[in-house]
Amino acid sequence: MPPWGVFLGTWSLDLWALALIVAAGGLYAWGLARAAAAGVRWPTWRAACFYVLGLGLYAFVNFGFLGTYSPQLRWAFSVRIAMMVFVVPAGLALGLPVGLARQTVRPGRLRTFLATVSRGPMKLFGNSAVAPVAGLVVLSMMLTPLAGISRVSPLLEGLLTLAMPLLGLLMVLPMVEEKTRVSTALIMLEFVFAFIELLGDAAPGLIMRLVPTIFDGAGALSGPVPAWFPGALRDQQLGGDFLWFIAEIMDLPVMILLFVRFSKSDKGERKILDELTDEQMDELNAAHLHLRD
């Protein structure tokens, strides 16, 4: 592992990441300005989450040690990808960018276009069965030569820099932004898929940690390397450790959010049932048991 001075003092410029930061930060700032002009008081803490926990962490991951040494170190590449898929999108989603767009984009062609373009991806990733599969596919990339190719290819690494946070945002936004009521039965089903995700996300990291095989197929580094650089197998094991830890930790807030949604939904359904008369309850039970024609 690098000394703390090296880890905190290593910086480089990533133009791909800079472009995304400027675009996302500019659009969000434009939305805040439009909201203020319209008299809408947007919560300060949500803007702070978007800029600090979202874009700020994204900048640290890509401009700092992890981004600088990503081509040379498997564990730096693994941590960088996991952070962009699971951690950075959580901070961005807490800023409610879709909610801010709804408040500031006036009805018209632009709003219609944005709604049309986003409806399909949001509906797809809003399916509770899709997010676990998408996350597992991304993490499983570490077990293939694609990880090694992406690490050493500036073009592929740049595309991953843009695609990973967007993919993670699609996975988390439907849960954070969704305002429609859902039944407790559907939330219980989401609990099942979230538990499957909790188990599945651990598999790639465990395999990288326990199997003594170099999966990415990348060759040994040429030229002199710092004394703290790990060997190839140890490098992969560290990547597996961090990958497992980050993926599992970020599954816990999802479970907590689902529990909160379940509590609210169950309370709402119980309130509706309590307001029914005895006759209405009998009719409801009869319909449920298919006793009526």
Side-chain angles (χ1 to χ4, degrees), residues 178-192:
E178 184 60 50
K179 300 299 183 182
T180 57
R181 294 179 60 88
V182 292
S183 66
T184 54
L186 180 59
I187 297 178
M188 289 300 296
L189 182 62
E190 292 178 345
F191 261 119
V192 173

Side-chain angles (χ1 to χ4, degrees), residues 205-230:
L206 285 174
I207 294 173
M208 290 173 65
R209 183 65 178 86
L210 300 176
V211 178
T213 301
I214 305 301
F215 292 106
D216 65 7
L221 296 175
S222 59
V225 296
W228 50 264
F229 259 53

